[in-house]
Amino acid sequence: MTEKATPSPAAIKAWARLMRVSRQLMESAEEALKAAGLPPLAWYDVLHELAEAGEGGLRPFQLIERTLFAQYNISRLLARLEADGLVEKLPVADDGRGQTIRITASGRETRRQMWAVYGRSIAELVGAKLSADELTMVSALLGRLRQPPAGD
């Protein structure tokens, strides 16, 4: 390892804390959804992106880009969402094998129910523990760590 590639003790501590806190927050949000009898957080992410896309829906590759799920994971998840009536798959006119995925009314309602619990989790786990200035600072710092999407 070169000198530059060796992390400082402060970088190691920040990394470890970021990983632990991230896992803890996600697990807490997942537990809240489960306790409310709602689907897992991954479902919310997909339903959210589809709702944001509007009536035109999204192609599976667009969902992969927006959610960062692996292709095989998104395929299984979409099959489950479709079986539960939360999304519908529509053929793409100029692509015989292509599909567009669109959220259904039932999917919108499920997303709404999930957000009531998920949003409360965010408020309790993060919003209630940090001031507005601290939230702005954390958001800015994490934004600096984020890699831009390919092609940006």
Side-chain angles (χ1 to χ4, degrees):
M1 268 181 126
T2 66
E3 184 84 21
K4 280 193 169 221
T6 302
S8 69
I12 294 168
K13 182 177 181 179
W15 175 266
R17 191 167 282 180
L18 181 62
M19 293 299 104
R20 285 186 196 108
V21 168
S22 177
R23 185 181 70 234
Q24 182 182 35
L25 293 174
M26 296 299 286
E27 287 173 356
S28 294
E30 288 279 9
E31 288 171 12
L33 288 168
K34 187 175 182 177
L38 294 167
L41 198 50
W43 289 35
Y44 180 84
D45 290 342
V46 170
L47 293 174
H48 172 76
E49 291 300 334
L50 291 172
E52 291 293 309
E55 287 302 310
L58 294 171
R59 302 280 299 264
F61 74 87
Q62 292 171 306
L63 271 172
I64 291 166
E65 290 171 355
R66 293 179 187 204
T67 60
L68 301 179
F69 286 111
Q71 190 276 328
Y72 63 89
N73 286 335
I74 204 80
S75 296
R76 285 191 300 224
L77 180 53
L78 289 174
R80 180 66 197 272
L81 292 169
E82 184 181 30
D84 284 8
L86 304 179
V87 303
E88 59 185 348
K89 294 179 181 176
L90 306 168
V92 176
D94 60 349
D95 182 353
R97 295 184 340 166
Q99 296 177 328
T100 298
I101 313 300
R102 188 167 60 190
I103 191 170
T104 64
S106 180
R108 289 182 194 285
E109 177 58 21
T110 297
R111 176 181 175 249
R112 187 193 65 71
Q113 292 172 2
M114 292 179 77
W115 177 248
V117 174
Y118 185 28
R120 187 171 50 250
S121 292
I122 293 170
E124 292 170 358
L125 297 167
V126 180
K129 295 183 179 183
L130 300 173
S131 70
D133 287 344
E134 289 169 330
L135 290 168
T136 299
M137 184 186 319
V138 168
S139 181
L141 291 170
L142 292 173
R144 289 176 53 192
L145 296 177
R146 187 172 182 267
Q147 295 288 328
D152 277 3

